[in-house]
Amino acid sequence: MRSFLLFLSLFTGCEASPELKGCDGGWVNFTWKYTETNIINIDVFQNKLSIIKSTQKDTWENKERLSVYHDATNKSIRLGIKQLKRSDAGEYRWETKPNQNSEVKLKVVADEGGCKKPFNQTAYRTAKTSITCDEGKKEDSRFNFFCKENGSICEDILSTKSALRSNGTFTLTETESGFTVSISNVSPQHAGVYWCGVESTEGSYRAALRKIQLEVKAAIKNFTRSPTIGQNMTYWCQYPEGAPVKKFICKGEDPSKCEHVVSTAQNTERFSMIDEKEKRNITITVRGVTKEDSGTYWCGAESKTETQSNSFFNRFLMTVVQPPTPTFPVSSTTTAFAESRGFSKNKRDAAAAQHDREDYIYEEIQERPLKPDSGNAINKIYSTANFPTNPSASLHYSTINFRNGSGEAAEVLMTNPSSSACEYSAVKDREIPTCSNVNQPSPADPLYSTVNKTQQQ
C-alpha cells in the first residue's frame, strides 16, 4: 500500500472543477458545502455512475472503500475514499433534493508530489522515537497534520493549523522538507497506524503524505557503566539469529535518529567493534574515554530495506567520572588509644584524622628474623620517624607491629606530645613481658626507637 498526497488546483470560470491528486494506496477526504436547507437523499457519482448514497444526518455511512458524512449543522458533505486505486480516478459529483450539485476531479498517481511508500517503524518501551514526514515542496495554501487510525477515521494528534506543537507525549517539529513527530516514553498503547498529511487552508480537502505502521517492543536490555577519564572500556552486545549483517553503534536518546559512532565495517581511532558471528556477539572497545563520551549508546543493525527502520539489541548508558580522591581509613587502634586517654568525641576525631595523615609519612617497620644461635640475645628494631609539619599538634604517635618467636603479635604505641619529649605506652605481649625505651637524639639526627625483648624467666 502506498500513501498519497493530495493537491488542489482551482481553475478560473464558474464551471471549472477543482482537480485533486492522490497517491496510489492512500485515502482522501474532500468536502462540499451547500446553502439550501432540509437537504436529504445525497447521491454521489463517479463518472456519472452512482457509487454511494446518504439518507441520514450527522453519521458516517460506509460502502466498501467509500464513506459519506452529511453534516447538517455545518451544511456540508464529506466524501472519503480509502486505499486509492488507479481506477478511482475521474470526476466525482454529488446531487441532492432539492436540486443542488457540485463536482471535483481526482487524479491518482504513484510517485508524484511527495508520495511516500509506507514505512514500518520499531520503537522500544520507555525510549523515544521520531516519525519523519517529508512532504517535498512546502505550500502556503495548506497545513500539516499527524493522525492515528481509529476504525474508519483518523484521529488528529497535532497540526500546524494550531499554535500547539506538543501535547506532552507527542511533539511536532517543522523542517525544511516537511516535519517530524517525536513520541517520548513509548508505551504499548502507542502502537498502531499513523498518517502524516496535509490539509487545505479552507478545509476543502485532507490527504495523507505517508503511512507509518508503528510496532512497540518490550523494554530493551540496558547496560550501565561509569568508567574513569582516560580508561579503556569494553562491553558486549549480543544479537538474535537472522539479524542484518551491518552492525553499528550510535549515540543519542532517540534510536530512530541517533548519530552513528562506529560500525563493524569501519572502526575509528577510539571506537572499535568486533563481530563474533558464531557466538552472535559484538565486542565494543572505547579507548581513553573522555567526559564528552558520557551519554546513551545503542547497539543495532542497519535495515536491509528503506521501508523498515533499523533494529536495536541493547542500550548502553555511560557516565564518565573523575578519578577518585584518596581517602584515609581510621584504624581501630587510633580510636581505642584516644578513648583510653579520656578524649572527647571531637578530640578523638581530631586524633584519628591526625593519625590518618601520619599513616602516609612513616615507614613500615619489619622485625629482623632471629638467628638460630641467638639464644636470649636482644633484638633491636630501628624506625625512622619524620616529625610532622605542624609541631603544635596535641598528639603524634606511631604504631609498631611485630611478632615474637612463637608467632604472637605485639604492639607498641608511641606518642609525641611535643617536639622535645616522647611518651610511650606499655608493650603488650601475652607471654613475654617487653620493655620499650625511646631515646630522642639531637634534632639533626633521625629519631630511633629501641625495643628490648627479654625472655621470661
Side-chain angles (χ1 to χ4, degrees):
M1 179 188 297
R2 294 185 176 182
S3 60
F4 64 96
L5 179 63
L6 183 63
F7 293 98
L8 178 63
S9 299
L10 297 177
F11 297 91
T12 58
C14 59
E15 296 183 357
S17 300
E19 183 180 72
L20 312 177
K21 287 184 180 179
C23 296
D24 188 17
W27 57 261
V28 59
N29 286 338
F30 42 87
T31 304
W32 291 293
K33 291 282 188 178
Y34 63 83
T35 57
E36 298 291 334
T37 57
N38 299 322
I39 292 292
I40 57 175
N41 298 328
I42 298 172
D43 201 353
V44 180
F45 296 84
Q46 179 195 7
N47 299 329
K48 300 182 179 182
L49 177 65
S50 177
I51 53 176
I52 188 171
K53 295 181 180 181
S54 173
T55 58
Q56 302 181 46
K57 297 180 179 180
D58 303 324
T59 185
W60 282 100
E61 296 183 65
N62 304 309
K63 181 181 178 182
E64 297 178 348
R65 297 182 295 108
L66 303 174
S67 299
V68 64
Y69 185 88
H70 181 192
D71 185 350
T73 303
N74 296 307
K75 294 184 179 182
S76 64
I77 301 168
R78 294 172 59 188
L79 175 66
I81 308 173
K82 300 177 183 178
Q83 302 172 9
L84 281 172
K85 301 178 180 180
R86 294 295 182 93
S87 58
D88 291 325
E91 184 179 84
Y92 287 82
R93 179 183 179 87
W94 63 272
E95 293 182 357
T96 65
K97 293 181 181 179
N99 188 25
Q100 190 170 357
N101 61 73
S102 183
E103 64 182 35
V104 65
K105 293 181 179 178
L106 176 66
K107 180 180 181 181
V108 180
V109 298
D111 300 306
E112 294 182 18
C115 293
K116 301 291 182 180
K117 294 180 180 179
F119 189 74
N120 298 311
Q121 184 158 326
T122 302
Y124 303 89
R125 289 184 59 183
T126 73
K128 183 178 181 180
T129 195
S130 295
I131 296 171
T132 301
C133 301
D134 292 332
E135 65 177 54
K137 183 180 178 181
K138 289 187 177 182
E139 296 185 17
D140 295 334
S141 60
R142 62 191 188 187
F143 300 108
N144 298 120
F145 70 85
F146 184 76
C147 64
K148 183 180 182 182
E149 275 192 14
N150 183 9
S152 60
I153 63 174
C154 194
E155 295 180 342
D156 282 352
I157 296 176
L158 290 171
S159 171
T160 57
K161 181 190 296 186
S162 169
L164 183 67
R165 292 293 188 272
S166 177
N167 60 13
T169 301
F170 294 84
T171 300
L172 185 151
T173 304
E174 294 186 81
T175 64
E176 292 183 359
S177 58
F179 64 100
T180 62
V181 175
S182 61
I183 308 174
S184 61
N185 194 23
V186 172
S187 66
Q189 69 181 14
H190 295 133
V193 175
Y194 294 85
W195 291 90
C196 308
V198 293
E199 176 182 358
S200 64
T201 54
E202 72 277 8
S204 61
Y205 75 90
R206 285 168 61 90
L209 292 172
R210 194 179 199 187
K211 176 185 177 182
I212 301 95
Q213 177 75 54
L214 185 66
E215 177 186 4
V216 177
K217 288 191 175 182
I220 199 166
K221 187 174 182 180
N222 290 320
F223 294 92
T224 302
R225 298 289 185 275
S226 298
T228 301
I229 292 176
Q231 284 185 339
N232 294 339
M233 188 199 62
T234 298
Y235 70 99
W236 295 267
C237 167
Q238 284 196 317
Y239 55 86
E241 188 174 359
V245 175
K246 296 181 180 180
K247 315 297 190 308
F248 67 94
I249 297 292
C250 65
K251 182 180 181 182
E253 294 295 328
D254 186 347
S256 63
K257 60 177 185 179
C258 57
E259 181 181 358
H260 280 228
V261 175
V262 65
S263 69
T264 49
Q266 184 177 9
N267 292 330
T268 68
E269 183 178 349
R270 296 181 55 242
F271 289 80
S272 63
M273 296 180 66
I274 300 176
D275 188 359
E276 300 177 85
K277 297 180 180 179
E278 62 280 0
K279 297 180 180 179
R280 299 201 306 275
N281 183 75
I282 298 173
T283 302
I284 300 99
T285 301
V286 185
R287 298 177 181 83
V289 297
T290 66
K291 194 68 176 177
E292 290 70 26
D293 291 329
S294 295
T296 302
Y297 295 81
W298 298 83
C299 175
E302 294 184 9
S303 174
K304 298 178 181 179
T305 172
E306 62 179 5
T307 61
Q308 176 66 52
S309 65
N310 295 330
S311 56
F312 293 90
F313 317 123
N314 68 51
R315 176 171 52 184
F316 173 60
L317 308 176
M318 179 164 64
T319 303
V320 182
V321 299
Q322 295 285 347
T325 302
T327 57
F328 306 141
V330 178
S331 65
S332 58
T333 306
T334 303
T335 304
F337 176 75
E339 288 177 348
S340 69
R341 292 284 176 165
F343 293 136
S344 65
K345 183 179 184 302
N346 290 339
K347 290 184 177 181
R348 292 200 303 269
D349 292 343
Q354 179 65 30
H355 176 45
D356 292 337
R357 291 191 292 272
E358 291 189 1
D359 279 347
Y360 282 80
I361 63 173
Y362 72 78
E363 296 177 355
E364 181 181 2
I365 302 173
Q366 296 182 347
E367 181 183 8
R368 297 180 183 179
L370 294 174
K371 296 181 180 180
D373 58 351
S374 62
N376 294 330
I378 296 176
N379 297 292
K380 294 184 178 180
I381 300 173
Y382 297 92
S383 172
T384 300
N386 297 321
F387 285 103
T389 58
N390 182 9
S392 64
S394 60
L395 178 64
H396 306 291
Y397 62 91
S398 300
T399 301
I400 305 174
N401 296 314
F402 60 89
R403 295 183 180 275
N404 60 24
S406 62
E408 294 293 334
E411 183 177 79
V412 177
L413 297 178
M414 296 177 294
T415 63
N416 180 17
S418 68
S419 60
S420 61
C422 292
E423 294 180 1
Y424 64 93
S425 65
V427 178
K428 296 181 180 180
D429 191 324
R430 296 185 210 172
E431 298 181 0
I432 305 175
T434 307
C435 299
S436 175
N437 297 323
V438 179
N439 300 319
Q440 179 179 330
S442 63
D445 297 324
L447 177 66
Y448 296 90
S449 64
T450 303
V451 180
N452 298 327
K453 296 178 58 179
T454 57
Q455 183 68 32
Q456 185 177 5
Q457 300 298 328

